[in-house]
Structures are given as C-alpha cells and as structure tokens.
Amino acid sequence: MGKKIIISAYNIHTGGGKVLLDKLLEVNSFELTVLKDRRFDSSNYPNHQFIPIQPTLLGRLNAEFFLYTNQKNYDYLLCLGNLPPLFSVNIPTSIFLQNAYLVITNVFNFVNFKSMIRLIFEKNWLKLRLSANYKIFVQSFYMKRNLEKYNLKNKIISFPFYENISTKELISPNTERKLLAVTSGDSHKNVNNLLMALRSLHKQKRPFSF
C-alpha cells in the first residue's frame, strides 16, 4: 500500500486553485484523502476519499481540528490553500503557496477593504503558524525570491507541477501568430512591462517567438 496523504483544500472550489487540485487528483498512485470545499465537484475522482467542509468560519475551524486530531492516520500532509495548519502537526507537511499577496509588500494599496481584512488575518496566520519543519512549494522564482526576503528557515522549492503546454498544439504554422495573455491585471503580474516590451519590439520591427 502506498503512502496515505491528506490534502487540505477546504478553501478551493474555483479558479487556479481548482485547476491545480484537479491535476493532483488525477494521480492514482497514492491514497488521497481530501478536505474539500463542499462546492468542489469530486465526482470524477472515485479512487480518492473526500471529506466535505462547509465554506464557513466554523466549518473551516472544524477542518483544522480534524487535521490535528487525525494526523496519526496519515503519512503526509499537503496544504494546498496557501496557509499552514492552524494547530501543530507532527507528520511531514508541505504548503503550496500561490497567493502572491501573502508575500509581497504594499499589497494593501491594490485591494478593497474586505480583502484587506482577510489578508491581514491570513498574513498573520502564515507568520505565526509556519513551522520551520514545513516545506514550501511555489510556482515561480518570483514567489521564491519574495519569500526569501523574510529569512525563513523553511526549505522553499519552486515547482510548477502543471505540465507545459506545447505551442505546436496552439499555433498553426500557416497562420499569423497572435499572443493571448490571460491575467487578472494585478500589479505583481507585470502586465504593463509585458505590453511595453511588445510595443518596443514592434517599433523596432524585431520578431519575437514564443
């Protein structure tokens, strides 16, 4: 029997987090138990066990208490929702941190009041409950550099586990190439710099490839 892994994903049901969770659930070589938001559709993954969590403060506190009281039943914990366990656990634990707002400075200039209150809470949760024994996975060197500014003792690994998409599948050799950039427009996405670079290349009549 393979390792028994529990995934804390009770705050994920849409967006990029859902894409990553779906990708993890395609793996059948491990026995996965997932604390999931009850709105997440898990019907496509019959080989894994799911524990639905109500998307409320009480529901999420209950999920954290479940992790603490049942940790002895698992070999490994993966926290997929940016934050470490609220209560200390003694099993190997990794955190997948994808929310740049939790690690960059001056973030409050770019969010509304409600988001600001949530970020203050989550930033303090991350700071106070991050054990040095936990590994941190991020998707880019940008995130890794920002985390390293905090002089953490944790091992930080840049690991984009979603496979690359072949441009051959997207671009026909007989058609004009066009670039589609899907982004939220947040300041840390550097969209303005990308547009400035493309305009500069266009003015210089220099080709670019992707």
Side-chain angles (χ1 to χ4, degrees):
M1 180 181 294
K3 288 188 176 182
K4 297 179 67 176
I5 299 174
I6 185 166
I7 299 177
S8 176
Y10 57 75
N11 60 343
I12 294 173
H13 72 284
T14 60
K18 180 181 182 300
V19 172
L20 297 176
L21 179 56
D22 280 327
K23 201 64 186 176
L24 277 177
L25 293 174
E26 291 177 5
V27 177
N28 292 314
S29 54
F30 296 99
E31 183 178 343
L32 300 180
T33 300
V34 183
L35 297 178
K36 68 151 194 166
D37 186 307
R38 66 172 180 80
R39 295 167 291 183
F40 176 81
D41 182 7
S42 57
S43 59
N44 292 326
Y45 309 106
N47 295 328
H48 303 306
Q49 178 184 1
F50 294 90
I51 302 173
I53 303 298
Q54 293 290 335
T56 62
L57 178 60
L58 181 60
R60 291 171 177 177
L61 284 174
N62 285 336
E64 291 293 335
F65 188 69
F66 177 90
L67 287 175
Y68 176 72
T69 56
N70 291 274
Q71 58 179 291
K72 61 182 180 296
N73 298 323
Y74 301 96
D75 301 306
Y76 191 87
L77 167 62
L78 173 61
C79 297
L80 201 60
N82 296 299
L83 297 172
L86 183 60
F87 307 110
S88 298
V89 296
N90 297 316
I91 58 175
T93 299
S94 293
I95 302 157
F96 190 78
L97 207 168
Q98 60 174 331
N99 187 352
Y101 282 152
L102 292 177
V103 299
I104 60 178
T105 57
N106 301 321
V107 65
F108 301 123
N109 297 328
F110 309 107
V111 297
N112 58 37
F113 181 75
K114 181 179 179 181
S115 296
M116 180 178 70
I117 296 300
R118 179 177 57 81
L119 282 171
I120 290 173
F121 175 76
E122 291 184 351
K123 276 176 172 281
N124 281 284
W125 181 335
L126 181 63
K127 178 181 178 180
L128 296 174
R129 304 308 303 162
L130 186 61
S131 167
N133 296 323
Y134 300 159
K135 291 181 181 179
I136 302 176
F137 287 89
V138 295
Q139 286 199 95
S140 67
F141 288 108
Y142 169 83
M143 288 286 289
K144 184 177 181 180
R145 287 194 301 269
N146 276 278
L147 273 172
E148 287 172 343
K149 294 177 182 177
Y150 292 89
N151 297 315
L152 301 175
K153 296 180 180 179
N154 304 76
K155 185 175 183 180
I156 304 171
I157 305 166
S158 179
F159 186 72
F161 60 78
Y162 198 90
E163 77 270 13
N164 293 328
I165 299 175
S166 172
T167 56
K168 293 180 181 178
E169 299 175 2
L170 302 177
I171 303 171
S172 169
N174 299 319
T175 60
E176 180 183 355
R177 291 190 176 188
K178 296 181 180 180
L179 175 64
L180 173 65
V182 181
T183 176
S184 64
D186 294 334
S187 59
H188 64 276
K189 303 286 187 178
N190 285 318
V191 177
N192 288 335
N193 288 338
L194 172 62
L195 294 175
M196 289 172 60
L198 293 176
R199 289 193 188 105
S200 177
L201 290 172
H202 179 71
K203 288 179 179 178
Q204 298 174 43
K205 296 183 179 180
R206 294 173 56 187
F208 63 93
S209 60
F210 51 88

Coordinates of all heavy atoms in Angstrom, one line a residue, residues 64-111:
E64 N -9.6 22.2 10.5 CA -8.3 22.3 11.1 C -8.2 21.4 12.3 O -7.2 20.7 12.6 CB -8.0 23.8 11.5 CG -7.8 24.7 10.4 CD -6.5 24.4 9.6 OE1 -5.6 23.8 10.2 OE2 -6.5 24.8 8.4
F65 N -9.3 21.3 13.1 CA -9.3 20.4 14.2 C -9.3 19.0 13.8 O -8.6 18.1 14.5 CB -10.6 20.7 15.1 CG -10.6 19.9 16.4 CD1 -9.7 20.3 17.4 CD2 -11.5 18.9 16.6 CE1 -9.7 19.6 18.6 CE2 -11.5 18.2 17.8 CZ -10.6 18.6 18.8
F66 N -9.9 18.6 12.7 CA -9.8 17.3 12.1 C -8.4 16.9 11.8 O -7.9 15.8 12.1 CB -10.7 17.2 10.9 CG -10.7 15.8 10.2 CD1 -11.5 14.8 10.6 CD2 -9.7 15.5 9.2 CE1 -11.5 13.5 10.0 CE2 -9.7 14.3 8.6 CZ -10.6 13.3 9.0
L67 N -7.7 17.8 11.1 CA -6.3 17.6 10.8 C -5.4 17.3 12.0 O -4.6 16.4 12.1 CB -5.7 18.8 10.1 CG -6.1 19.1 8.6 CD1 -5.5 20.4 8.1 CD2 -5.7 17.9 7.7
Y68 N -5.7 18.1 13.1 CA -4.9 17.9 14.3 C -5.2 16.6 15.0 O -4.3 15.8 15.4 CB -5.2 19.0 15.3 CG -4.5 18.9 16.6 CD1 -3.2 19.1 16.7 CD2 -5.3 18.6 17.7 CE1 -2.5 19.0 18.0 CE2 -4.7 18.5 19.0 CZ -3.3 18.7 19.1 OH -2.7 18.6 20.3
T69 N -6.5 16.2 15.1 CA -6.8 15.0 15.8 C -6.7 13.7 15.0 O -6.6 12.6 15.6 CB -8.3 15.1 16.3 OG1 -9.2 15.3 15.2 CG2 -8.5 16.3 17.3
N70 N -6.6 13.8 13.7 CA -6.4 12.6 12.9 C -5.1 12.5 12.2 O -4.9 11.6 11.4 CB -7.6 12.6 11.9 CG -8.9 12.4 12.5 OD1 -9.3 11.2 12.7 ND2 -9.6 13.5 12.7
Q71 N -4.1 13.3 12.5 CA -2.9 13.3 11.8 C -2.1 11.9 11.9 O -1.4 11.5 11.0 CB -1.9 14.4 12.4 CG -1.7 14.3 13.8 CD -0.7 15.4 14.3 OE1 0.5 15.4 14.0 NE2 -1.3 16.3 15.1
K72 N -2.4 11.2 13.0 CA -1.7 9.9 13.2 C -2.1 8.9 12.1 O -1.4 7.9 11.9 CB -1.9 9.4 14.6 CG -3.4 9.1 14.9 CD -3.6 8.6 16.3 CE -5.0 8.3 16.6 NZ -5.9 9.6 16.6
N73 N -3.2 9.1 11.4 CA -3.7 8.2 10.4 C -3.1 8.4 9.1 O -3.5 7.7 8.1 CB -5.3 8.3 10.3 CG -6.0 8.0 11.6 OD1 -5.5 7.1 12.4 ND2 -7.0 8.7 12.0
Y74 N -2.2 9.4 8.9 CA -1.7 9.8 7.6 C -0.2 9.9 7.7 O 0.4 10.1 8.8 CB -2.3 11.1 7.2 CG -3.8 11.0 7.1 CD1 -4.6 11.5 8.1 CD2 -4.4 10.5 5.9 CE1 -6.0 11.4 8.0 CE2 -5.8 10.4 5.8 CZ -6.6 10.8 6.9 OH -7.9 10.8 6.8
D75 N 0.4 9.7 6.5 CA 1.9 9.8 6.4 C 2.4 11.2 6.0 O 3.6 11.5 6.2 CB 2.4 8.8 5.4 CG 2.0 7.4 5.8 OD1 2.3 6.9 6.9 OD2 1.4 6.7 4.9
Y76 N 1.5 12.0 5.4 CA 2.0 13.2 4.8 C 0.8 14.2 4.7 O -0.3 13.8 4.4 CB 2.6 13.0 3.4 CG 3.3 14.1 2.8 CD1 4.7 14.3 3.0 CD2 2.6 15.0 1.9 CE1 5.3 15.4 2.5 CE2 3.3 16.0 1.4 CZ 4.7 16.2 1.6 OH 5.3 17.3 1.1
L77 N 1.0 15.5 4.9 CA 0.0 16.5 4.8 C 0.4 17.5 3.8 O 1.6 18.0 3.8 CB -0.2 17.2 6.1 CG -1.0 18.5 6.1 CD1 -2.4 18.3 5.6 CD2 -1.1 19.2 7.5
L78 N -0.4 17.8 2.8 CA -0.2 18.9 1.8 C -1.3 19.9 2.0 O -2.5 19.6 1.9 CB -0.3 18.3 0.4 CG -0.2 19.4 -0.7 CD1 1.1 20.2 -0.7 CD2 -0.4 18.7 -2.1
C79 N -0.9 21.1 2.3 CA -1.8 22.2 2.5 C -1.8 23.0 1.2 O -0.8 23.7 0.8 CB -1.4 23.1 3.6 SG -1.4 22.4 5.2
L80 N -2.9 22.9 0.4 CA -2.9 23.4 -0.9 C -3.5 24.9 -0.9 O -3.5 25.5 -2.0 CB -3.8 22.5 -1.8 CG -3.6 22.6 -3.3 CD1 -2.2 22.3 -3.7 CD2 -4.6 21.7 -4.1
G81 N -4.0 25.3 0.2 CA -4.6 26.6 0.2 C -3.8 27.8 0.8 O -4.4 28.7 1.4
N82 N -2.5 27.8 0.6 CA -1.6 28.9 1.0 C -1.2 28.9 2.4 O -0.2 29.5 2.7 CB -2.2 30.2 0.6 CG -2.4 30.4 -0.9 OD1 -1.5 30.4 -1.7 ND2 -3.7 30.6 -1.3
L83 N -2.0 28.4 3.3 CA -1.7 28.5 4.8 C -1.3 27.2 5.4 O -1.8 26.2 5.1 CB -3.0 29.1 5.4 CG -3.4 30.5 4.9 CD1 -4.8 30.8 5.6 CD2 -2.4 31.5 5.3
P84 N -0.5 27.3 6.5 CA -0.1 26.1 7.2 C -1.2 25.7 8.1 O -2.2 26.4 8.3 CB 1.1 26.6 8.0 CG 0.9 28.1 8.2 CD 0.2 28.5 6.9
P85 N -1.1 24.5 8.7 CA -2.1 24.0 9.7 C -2.2 25.0 10.8 O -1.2 25.6 11.3 CB -1.6 22.7 10.2 CG -0.5 22.3 9.2 CD 0.0 23.5 8.6
L86 N -3.5 25.2 11.3 CA -3.7 26.1 12.4 C -3.1 25.6 13.7 O -2.6 26.3 14.5 CB -5.2 26.4 12.5 CG -5.6 27.4 13.6 CD1 -5.0 28.8 13.3 CD2 -7.1 27.5 13.7
F87 N -3.3 24.2 13.8 CA -2.7 23.5 15.0 C -1.5 22.7 14.6 O -1.5 22.2 13.5 CB -3.8 22.6 15.6 CG -5.1 23.4 15.9 CD1 -6.2 23.1 15.2 CD2 -5.1 24.3 17.0 CE1 -7.4 23.7 15.5 CE2 -6.3 25.0 17.2 CZ -7.5 24.7 16.5
S88 N -0.5 22.6 15.4 CA 0.7 21.9 15.1 C 0.5 20.5 14.8 O -0.3 19.8 15.5 CB 1.7 22.1 16.3 OG 2.0 23.4 16.5
V89 N 1.2 20.0 13.7 CA 1.1 18.6 13.4 C 2.5 18.0 13.4 O 3.5 18.8 13.2 CB 0.4 18.4 12.0 CG1 -1.0 18.8 12.1 CG2 1.2 19.1 10.9
N90 N 2.7 16.7 13.6 CA 4.0 16.1 13.7 C 4.3 15.2 12.5 O 5.4 14.6 12.5 CB 4.0 15.3 14.9 CG 3.9 16.1 16.2 OD1 4.5 17.2 16.3 ND2 3.1 15.7 17.1
I91 N 3.5 15.2 11.5 CA 3.8 14.5 10.3 C 4.4 15.4 9.2 O 4.3 16.6 9.3 CB 2.5 13.8 9.7 CG1 1.5 14.9 9.3 CG2 1.9 12.8 10.6 CD1 0.2 14.3 8.6
P92 N 5.2 14.8 8.3 CA 5.8 15.7 7.2 C 4.7 16.5 6.5 O 3.7 16.0 6.1 CB 6.4 14.6 6.3 CG 6.7 13.5 7.1 CD 5.6 13.4 8.1
T93 N 5.0 17.8 6.4 CA 4.0 18.7 5.9 C 4.6 19.7 4.9 O 5.7 20.2 5.0 CB 3.4 19.5 7.0 OG1 2.8 18.7 8.0 CG2 2.4 20.6 6.5
S94 N 3.9 19.9 3.8 CA 4.3 20.9 2.8 C 3.1 21.8 2.5 O 1.9 21.5 2.6 CB 4.6 20.2 1.4 OG 5.8 19.4 1.6
I95 N 3.5 23.0 2.2 CA 2.5 24.1 1.9 C 2.7 24.6 0.5 O 3.8 24.9 0.1 CB 2.6 25.3 2.9 CG1 2.5 24.8 4.3 CG2 1.6 26.4 2.6 CD1 3.1 25.7 5.3
F96 N 1.6 24.6 -0.3 CA 1.7 25.1 -1.6 C 1.2 26.5 -1.6 O 0.0 26.8 -1.4 CB 0.9 24.3 -2.6 CG 1.1 24.7 -4.1 CD1 2.3 24.3 -4.7 CD2 0.2 25.5 -4.7 CE1 2.5 24.7 -6.0 CE2 0.4 25.9 -6.0 CZ 1.6 25.5 -6.7
L97 N 2.1 27.5 -1.8 CA 1.8 28.9 -1.6 C 1.7 29.6 -2.9 O 2.8 29.8 -3.6 CB 2.8 29.6 -0.7 CG 2.4 30.8 0.1 CD1 3.4 31.1 1.2 CD2 2.1 32.0 -0.7
Q98 N 0.5 30.0 -3.4 CA 0.4 30.5 -4.7 C -0.1 32.0 -4.7 O -0.2 32.6 -5.7 CB -0.5 29.7 -5.6 CG -1.9 29.5 -5.0 CD -2.8 28.8 -6.0 OE1 -2.7 28.9 -7.2 NE2 -3.8 28.1 -5.4
N99 N -0.6 32.4 -3.5 CA -1.1 33.8 -3.4 C 0.0 34.8 -3.2 O 0.5 34.9 -2.1 CB -2.2 33.8 -2.3 CG -2.9 35.2 -2.3 OD1 -2.6 36.1 -3.0 ND2 -3.9 35.2 -1.4
A100 N 0.4 35.5 -4.2 CA 1.5 36.5 -4.1 C 1.1 37.6 -3.1 O 2.1 38.2 -2.5 CB 1.8 37.1 -5.4
Y101 N -0.1 37.9 -2.9 CA -0.5 38.9 -1.9 C -0.1 38.6 -0.5 O 0.0 39.5 0.3 CB -2.0 39.2 -2.0 CG -2.5 40.0 -3.1 CD1 -3.8 39.8 -3.6 CD2 -1.7 40.9 -3.8 CE1 -4.2 40.5 -4.7 CE2 -2.1 41.7 -4.8 CZ -3.4 41.5 -5.3 OH -3.8 42.2 -6.4
L102 N 0.2 37.3 -0.2 CA 0.6 37.0 1.1 C 2.1 37.2 1.4 O 2.5 37.2 2.5 CB 0.3 35.5 1.4 CG -1.2 35.1 1.5 CD1 -1.4 33.6 1.7 CD2 -1.9 35.9 2.6
V103 N 2.9 37.5 0.3 CA 4.3 37.6 0.5 C 4.9 38.9 0.0 O 6.0 39.3 0.3 CB 5.1 36.4 -0.2 CG1 4.7 35.1 0.4 CG2 4.8 36.4 -1.7
I104 N 4.1 39.7 -0.8 CA 4.7 40.9 -1.3 C 4.3 42.1 -0.4 O 3.3 42.0 0.3 CB 4.2 41.2 -2.8 CG1 2.7 41.3 -2.8 CG2 4.7 40.2 -3.7 CD1 2.1 41.7 -4.2
T105 N 5.0 43.1 -0.4 CA 4.8 44.3 0.4 C 3.9 45.3 -0.3 O 3.7 45.2 -1.5 CB 6.1 45.0 0.8 OG1 6.8 45.3 -0.4 CG2 7.0 44.0 1.6
N106 N 3.4 46.2 0.4 CA 2.5 47.3 -0.1 C 1.3 46.7 -0.8 O 0.8 47.4 -1.7 CB 3.3 48.2 -1.0 CG 4.5 48.9 -0.3 OD1 4.3 49.3 0.8 ND2 5.6 49.0 -1.0
V107 N 0.8 45.6 -0.4 CA -0.3 44.9 -1.1 C -1.6 45.6 -0.9 O -2.5 45.6 -1.7 CB -0.4 43.4 -0.7 CG1 -0.7 43.3 0.7 CG2 -1.4 42.7 -1.6
F108 N -1.7 46.3 0.3 CA -3.0 46.9 0.7 C -3.4 48.1 -0.2 O -4.5 48.6 -0.1 CB -3.0 47.3 2.1 CG -2.7 46.2 3.1 CD1 -1.6 46.2 3.9 CD2 -3.5 45.0 3.0 CE1 -1.3 45.1 4.8 CE2 -3.2 44.0 3.9 CZ -2.1 44.0 4.7
N109 N -2.5 48.6 -1.0 CA -2.8 49.6 -2.0 C -3.7 49.1 -3.1 O -4.2 50.0 -3.9 CB -1.5 50.3 -2.5 CG -0.7 50.9 -1.4 OD1 -1.3 51.4 -0.5 ND2 0.6 50.9 -1.6
F110 N -3.8 47.8 -3.3 CA -4.4 47.3 -4.5 C -5.6 46.4 -4.2 O -6.2 45.8 -5.1 CB -3.4 46.4 -5.2 CG -2.0 47.1 -5.5 CD1 -0.9 46.7 -4.8 CD2 -1.9 48.1 -6.4 CE1 0.3 47.3 -5.0 CE2 -0.7 48.7 -6.6 CZ 0.4 48.3 -5.9
V111 N -6.1 46.4 -3.0 CA -7.3 45.6 -2.7 C -8.3 46.4 -1.9 O -8.0 47.5 -1.4 CB -6.9 44.4 -1.8 CG1 -5.9 43.5 -2.5 CG2 -6.2 44.8 -0.5

